[in-house]
């Protein structure tokens, strides 16, 4: 699948579930619960032990588009994509990570918080701009960036909840990245599937409402 098609999948999904610290043996429970709640895209963080094996297992699930996040080293990209990552997300704007992802044939999301960083990410040909942390970036910032820079699709991530999802989508976000509020109150190593499903349903209801 080409880079543009993957980006469109993420935009269509509306929400990317960011999974940090979920061990491989618990991943099926978490993914099943997320899918039951309407989630169609998942990001496994590169700092999770066993992430390579988890990517291989997750990428075999046709119900979700699986990528990898928290990637800061260009040298790490190849192995992660070979393991099955369909997209690469970095918390920073590193042109080397973007280039490595493109060499491997997948889209890259560059982490940015300021117009200068967004401009640099655009120069690096990032496919997605990850606005991070969204907890300190208001929806008005997204609207301003879109009005002045005409950036690639924006994906605010960090600190987003069902009550704020709509604000970011209304401001022009292509999708949102959500982690903590999906897994709140459950142990990643022993996940509560029902709790995760309910959280996913609440977030996806907000996505649907924002999109009319």
């Amino acid at each position: 699948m080409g880079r543009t098609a993957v980006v469109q999948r993420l935009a269509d999904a509306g929400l990317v579930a960011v999974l940090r610290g979920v061990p491989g043996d618990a991943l099926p429970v978490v993914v099943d619960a997320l899918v039951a709640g309407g989630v169609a895209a998942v990001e496994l963080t590169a700092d999770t032990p066993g992430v390579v094996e988890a990517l291989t297992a997750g990428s075999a699930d046709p119900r979700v588009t699986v990528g990898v996040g928290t990637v800061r080293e260009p040298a790490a990209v190849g192995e992660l994509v070979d393991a099955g990552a369909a997209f690469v997300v970095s918390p920073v704007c590193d042109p080397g990570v973007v280039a490595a992802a493109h060499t491997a044939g997948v889209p890259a999301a560059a982490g940015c918080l300021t117009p200068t960083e967004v401009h640099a990410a655009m120069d690096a040909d990032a496919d997605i701009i990850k606005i991070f942390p969204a907890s300190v970036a208001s929806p008005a910032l997204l609207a301003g960036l879109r009005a002045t820079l005409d950036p690639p699709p924006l994906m605010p991530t960090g600190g987003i909840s069902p009550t704020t999802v709509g604000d970011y989508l209304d401001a022009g976000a292509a999708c949102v990245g959500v982690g903590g509020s999906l897994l709140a109150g459950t142990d990643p190593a022993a996940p509560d599937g029902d709790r995760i499903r309910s959280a996913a349903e609440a977030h996806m209801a907000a996505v649907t409402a924002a999109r009319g």
Side-chain angles (χ1 to χ4, degrees), residues 24-127:
D25 58 351
L27 188 62
V29 174
V30 174
V31 171
D32 284 348
L34 291 171
V35 170
V39 172
V42 172
E43 172 191 322
L44 307 179
T45 64
D47 54 359
T48 298
V51 68
V52 170
E53 294 77 12
L55 283 167
T56 299
S59 64
D61 189 334
R63 302 173 299 172
V64 288
T65 301
V66 177
V68 63
T70 317
V71 180
R72 294 182 294 167
E73 299 295 334
V77 171
E79 180 183 21
L80 296 168
V81 173
D82 287 346
F87 58 94
V88 171
V89 181
S90 179
V92 298
C93 178
D94 186 330
V97 171
V98 175
H102 291 176
T103 297
V106 302
C112 303
L113 187 58
T114 68
T116 299
E117 291 171 349
V118 172
H119 180 72
M122 293 170 67
D123 279 349
D125 199 25
D127 304 275

